[in-house]
């Protein structure tokens, strides 16, 4: 039985590759349609097309900045990154070919299992298309963030700390107060770590409901926010409140108990002093302090789920606590958080226009 299954899977893969090859060789118009579908969400209307035009414009802008800056920096691009890019392209081609072949085979079948399979294929394709855009954006944006950090620009934490004081926040006192309760400190650490799963949940939920236009909007907001983050960290480079204040260990002992704290600072420091000189996309660490990327993701995830109240309200509460946790757990200034929120709201307004 296993040999029959292997033969069947191999046959499906060959048909997928052959289908893709035939489209390229026989009908260039068909190839253009396929590329447009995978890059532009062309099957979800003009609004989705406009959103995806924003996405790919931001990707190209970041990639262009990377291409110009990288040869003139002290960083190099790991050769394994190109292998990863090639593997991603091949996977997308195989996935696209497989989905096309399978959908074509099930097109005329009106039985319930076939309908379920067709729907599953549509959802899977939408997730692949979203992953392609998000992956390209994060690769280009993360590379640019490393280049900006490695430039070793003068830090502006003094300015950000002054803004915090003007707003009435004494960061060391806030850290000490939050640390006074072991339960509260551990809860903030756990909630801080939920941002990745919650963002992935929002993407999967939109795909499951086949909300291609809303998903394109989500990625467009993320794209504009990523460009804004890079500009922000270039104009106002900062190491964060933890690095600025250097609190004594007893002020954050309950926060460090569940795991290592402020780990991003290691990569940040190594990039600035030159001890980290290779950009390896498979081992990236976040190095953005101003504006807060956690806050960006928290706000845009709530906005993406605005039509699903039963899901949006729990995410709103969870992300609200997560944004608070960025101060002690993420080591952010309050100004970082406010800048991240303002940046996201600005991106939302631009996308809605």
């Amino acid at each position: 039985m296993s040999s029959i299954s292997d033969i069947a899977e191999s046959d499906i893969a060959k048909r997928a590759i052959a289908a893709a090859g035939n489209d390229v060789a026989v009908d260039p118009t068909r190839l253009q349609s396929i590329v447009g579908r995978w890059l532009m969400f062309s099957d979800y209307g003009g609004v989705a097309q406009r959103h995806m035009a924003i996405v790919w414009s931001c990707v190209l802008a970041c990639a262009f900045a990377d291409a110009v800056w990288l040869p003139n920096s002290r960083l190099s691009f790991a050769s394994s990154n190109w292998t990863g890019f090639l593997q991603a392209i091949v996977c997308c081609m195989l996935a696209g070919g497989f989905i096309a072949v399978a959908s074509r085979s099930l097109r005329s079948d009106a039985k319930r299992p076939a309908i379920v399979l067709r729907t599953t294929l549509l959802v899977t394709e939408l997730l692949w298309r979203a992953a392609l855009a998000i992956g390209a954006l994060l690769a280009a944006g993360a590379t640019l963030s490393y280049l900006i950090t490695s430039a070793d620009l003068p830090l502006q934490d003094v300015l950000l700390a002054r803004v915090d004081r003007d707003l009435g926040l004494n960061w060391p006192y806030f850290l000490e107060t939050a640390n006074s309760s072991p339960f509260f400190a551990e809860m903030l650490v756990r909630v801080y770590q939920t941002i990745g799963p919650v963002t992935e949940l929002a993407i999967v939920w939109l795909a499951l409901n086949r909300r291609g236009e809303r998903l394109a909007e989500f990625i467009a907001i993320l794209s504009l926010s990523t460009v804004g983050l890079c500009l922000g960290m270039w104009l106002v480079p900062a190491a964060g409140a933890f690095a600025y204040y250097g609190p004594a260990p007893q002020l954050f002992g309950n926060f460090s108990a569940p795991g290592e704290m402020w780990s991003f600072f290691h990569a940040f420091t190594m990039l600035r002093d030159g001890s980290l000189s290779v950009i390896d996309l498979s081992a990236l660490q976040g190095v953005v302090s101003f504006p807060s990327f956690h806050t960006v993701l928290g706000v845009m995830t709530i906005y993406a789920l605005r039509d699903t109240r039963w899901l949006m309200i729990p995410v709103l509460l969870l992300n609200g606590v997560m944004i608070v946790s960025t101060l002690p757990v993420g080591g952010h200034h309050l100004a970082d958080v406010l800048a991240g929120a303002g940046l996201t709201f600005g991106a939302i307004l631009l996308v809605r226009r």
Side-chain angles (χ1 to χ4, degrees):
M1 291 297 292
S2 61
S3 61
I4 295 175
S5 175
D6 293 341
I7 293 172
E9 291 178 1
S10 176
D11 182 59
I12 290 174
K14 290 178 180 177
R15 289 169 62 193
I17 296 172
N22 289 337
D23 285 334
V24 173
V26 176
D27 191 352
T29 304
R30 174 64 177 164
L31 173 62
Q32 182 179 359
S33 175
I34 292 173
V35 172
R37 178 181 174 86
W38 275 75
L39 298 186
M40 296 297 296
F41 288 178
S42 57
D43 49 328
Y44 288 97
V47 175
Q49 285 185 347
R50 186 174 71 247
H51 292 334
M52 295 308 296
I54 292 174
V55 171
W56 292 111
S57 295
C58 291
V59 171
L60 290 175
C62 290
F64 178 76
D66 294 339
V68 172
W69 196 336
L70 187 59
N72 301 299
S73 73
R74 57 188 179 188
L75 297 181
S76 60
F77 209 56
S79 58
S80 60
N81 294 334
W82 300 112
T83 303
F85 290 152
L86 180 60
Q87 290 174 342
I89 293 172
V90 171
C91 285
C92 284
M93 291 179 62
L94 287 175
F98 175 82
I99 291 170
V101 170
S103 299
R104 195 174 302 149
S105 301
L106 297 168
R107 183 181 302 165
S108 58
D109 194 336
K111 295 178 182 178
R112 183 172 180 80
I115 295 174
V116 172
L117 284 174
R118 281 201 300 270
T119 303
T120 302
L121 288 170
L122 285 172
V123 170
T124 303
E125 183 192 46
L126 186 54
L127 281 172
W128 267 102
R129 291 155 71 184
L132 176 64
I134 293 173
L137 173 69
L138 294 182
T143 299
L144 185 54
S145 72
Y146 267 46
L147 288 167
I148 294 171
T149 304
S150 70
D152 196 18
L153 301 171
L155 297 177
Q156 301 298 320
D157 289 278
V158 173
L159 171 64
L160 298 176
R162 185 184 308 130
V163 171
D164 281 8
R165 289 193 294 270
D166 291 342
L167 293 172
L169 177 71
N170 183 325
W171 192 88
Y173 177 75
F174 179 84
L175 176 65
E176 182 179 13
T177 302
N179 184 68
S180 63
S181 169
F183 171 79
F184 185 64
E186 183 171 355
M187 180 193 70
L188 289 180
V189 173
R190 302 302 181 192
V191 172
Y192 183 81
Q193 296 168 348
T194 63
I195 188 59
V198 170
T199 303
E200 293 167 2
L201 170 66
I203 293 171
V204 171
W205 176 255
L206 294 175
L208 285 173
N209 288 274
R210 296 166 65 182
R211 298 292 304 275
E213 180 182 326
R214 178 63 57 82
L215 189 53
E217 178 190 64
F218 179 88
I219 305 173
I221 294 170
L222 177 62
S223 300
L224 289 172
S225 298
T226 299
V227 172
L229 280 167
C230 291
L231 288 173
M233 65 183 298
W234 176 53
L235 295 172
V236 188
F242 172 72
Y244 177 71
Y245 289 105
Q250 62 267 24
L251 296 183
F252 60 90
N254 289 325
F255 283 104
S256 60
E260 186 180 7
M261 301 299 300
W262 302 292
S263 57
F264 95 96
F265 189 65
H266 300 306
F268 181 87
T269 302
M270 291 172 68
L271 283 168
R272 287 179 62 86
D273 65 20
S275 55
L276 177 59
S277 59
V278 178
I279 302 175
D280 184 355
L281 295 179
S282 65
L284 284 176
Q285 295 186 45
V287 293
V288 182
S289 179
F290 177 91
S292 166
F293 190 48
H294 269 67
T295 303
V296 168
L297 292 177
V299 173
M300 63 181 293
T301 302
I302 296 169
Y303 182 71
L305 300 174
R306 61 190 181 275
D307 292 339
T308 312
R309 184 171 299 180
W310 67 267
L311 184 58
M312 187 271 287
I313 292 176
V315 170
L316 172 64
L317 296 174
L318 182 64
N319 282 0
V321 177
M322 183 276 300
I323 290 173
V324 173
S325 75
T326 60
L327 296 172
V329 183
H332 281 287
H333 299 282
L334 177 59
D336 302 341
V337 176
L338 296 178
L343 175 62
T344 312
F345 286 126
I348 291 171
L349 289 175
L350 285 174
V351 168
R352 287 183 65 87
R353 287 177 65 86

